[in-house]
Amino acid sequence: PDHGDCHSAPGTGYPAMIISSAAIAPNQRGAATVELTLLVPALLLVVGLLVAGGRLWFARTTVNEAAQTAARAASLSRTAYAATSAGREAGSQSLTTAGLRCRSTSVSINAAAFGVPAGTPSTVNSTVTCRVDFSDIVLPGWPGSIQLIGQGSAALDTYRSR
């Protein structure tokens, strides 16, 4: 038999066909361009959602870390008043250091643990609230915002005088 444009595939002994671009059916021309045109926006959307999700995760983690930092700073103070002041300052500074821009921020410290007698275990609690614009998390110009709340706690030294 005459195989014309066929050549033997290496190591198989069977003829392999070489197809030229002229052999492609005329109704398939441009199909790759259409497929690419449909896939690229979908892929960009998926990548955009992944980036937005990562930025939202970062913002939530930053608020939780700020709450824990505030509680720790408050637990190192000697008085309830000093604990409240130190905790608020540490929480706000932690948000600023991480680069999270909050439209509104609230750092509250529950220093009731300083009223517990020495020798009794007690814990200082903190809550950090941060309202973040979607334009800072998702895309510039994106409308809306989300309120993120983080909570932290730190133990007071049981045998330290209060």
Side-chain angles (χ1 to χ4, degrees):
D2 181 25
H3 293 290
D5 287 340
C6 294
H7 302 284
S8 178
T12 63
Y14 295 105
M17 291 190 87
I18 299 174
I19 300 174
S20 68
S21 61
I24 296 176
N27 62 352
Q28 292 296 314
R29 287 184 146 329
T33 304
V34 171
E35 289 172 3
L36 191 64
T37 304
L38 294 173
L39 285 177
V40 167
L43 289 175
L44 288 176
L45 180 65
V46 169
V47 169
L49 288 174
L50 287 173
V51 169
R55 290 177 57 96
L56 181 60
W57 172 82
F58 169 76
R60 287 182 191 272
T61 302
T62 299
V63 170
N64 284 328
E65 183 179 330
Q68 191 60 41
T69 300
R72 176 73 178 143
S75 74
L76 296 175
S77 299
R78 292 285 180 192
T79 65
Y81 178 78
T84 301
S85 177
R88 285 184 179 154
E89 176 64 29
S92 296
Q93 185 62 37
S94 180
L95 292 174
T96 302
T97 302
L100 186 63
R101 291 186 306 224
C102 300
R103 181 191 295 175
S104 63
T105 304
S106 167
V107 180
S108 64
I109 305 295
N110 180 356
F114 283 89
V116 175
T120 306
S122 57
T123 304
V124 175
N125 298 308
S126 68
T127 302
V128 175
T129 305
C130 173
R131 180 162 292 283
V132 182
D133 289 329
F134 283 136
S135 62
D136 288 340
I137 296 177
V138 183
L139 288 172
W142 195 280
S145 63
I146 186 170
Q147 181 171 329
L148 304 174
I149 299 173
Q151 297 182 341
S153 62
L156 283 178
D157 184 5
T158 305
Y159 298 104
R160 181 179 73 188
S161 65
R162 298 184 183 124

